[in-house]
Structure formats: C-alpha cells, structure tokens
Amino acid sequence: MCGLSFTLGRVAARVLRLDARAGASVTLACGMNNSSASAVLITTTLPDRPHILLPVLAYGLLQKVAAGRVVRMGEETNRRSTRADQPTGTG
C-alpha cells in the first residue's frame, strides 16, 4: 500500500509534467499518510492490546524509508537536469 501511494504520486507528477522539485512534492504528499494519528488512535481506544500497534509502527518506518528514496531520486534528477543546462565549454 505504501509503495502504491508513492507510485501514484509519481505518476501524477509525470502526467502533469512537473519539474523535479514539484514532482517530488506531489509524490511525497500522496505517499505520506498520517501513521502517527493511527498510532494515537490505537493506543487510546485499545490500551490493553499494544501488539496491535506494531504494524502501524512498521508501516510508518516503511513510509520514512520510501520518502527518503523519493527525495534522493529528486535530487539526482535535479543534478542531471542542471548538468544538461550548463554549456559544454566548447566553441
């Protein structure tokens, strides 16, 4: 589910032909869900079942890792486009 959310954000950014920074923003906005609110809701409504919290925490960790990859991909794309825009120095 986490990967699907980020993928849908990336596809939307490409369909809209956004630049690297705006595309990364859309991808992150689509991919990041509020797992912290889920954790609070679970601990307040089911305080006697802390084991139910483990999947929510694991999902939150997975989101952070995926978000880090999105940011790194955006930075690499930005570096490549910056290099392509620079003159080659010949002439």
Side-chain angles (χ1 to χ4, degrees), residues 59-81:
Y59 185 77
L61 180 62
L62 181 62
Q63 279 184 326
K64 306 307 185 267
V65 171
R69 291 190 80 196
V70 167
V71 169
R72 279 194 305 276
M73 286 173 29
E75 288 173 349
E76 289 172 9
T77 302
N78 194 23
R79 269 189 244 123
R80 277 187 246 135
S81 66

Side-chain angles (χ1 to χ4, degrees), residues 10-76:
R10 187 71 176 153
V11 168
R14 287 186 181 200
V15 167
L16 295 172
R17 296 183 178 155
L18 300 175
D19 64 13
R21 286 182 172 217
S25 296
V26 169
T27 303
L28 288 171
C30 290
M32 296 300 288
N33 299 313
N34 200 344
S35 58
S36 300
S38 301
V40 170
L41 182 64
I42 287 172
T43 56
T44 56
T45 57
L46 302 168
D48 58 332
R49 297 183 183 175
H51 61 281
I52 295 176
L53 190 59
L54 289 176
V56 173
L57 296 175
Y59 185 77
L61 180 62
L62 181 62
Q63 279 184 326
K64 306 307 185 267
V65 171
R69 291 190 80 196
V70 167
V71 169
R72 279 194 305 276
M73 286 173 29
E75 288 173 349
E76 289 172 9

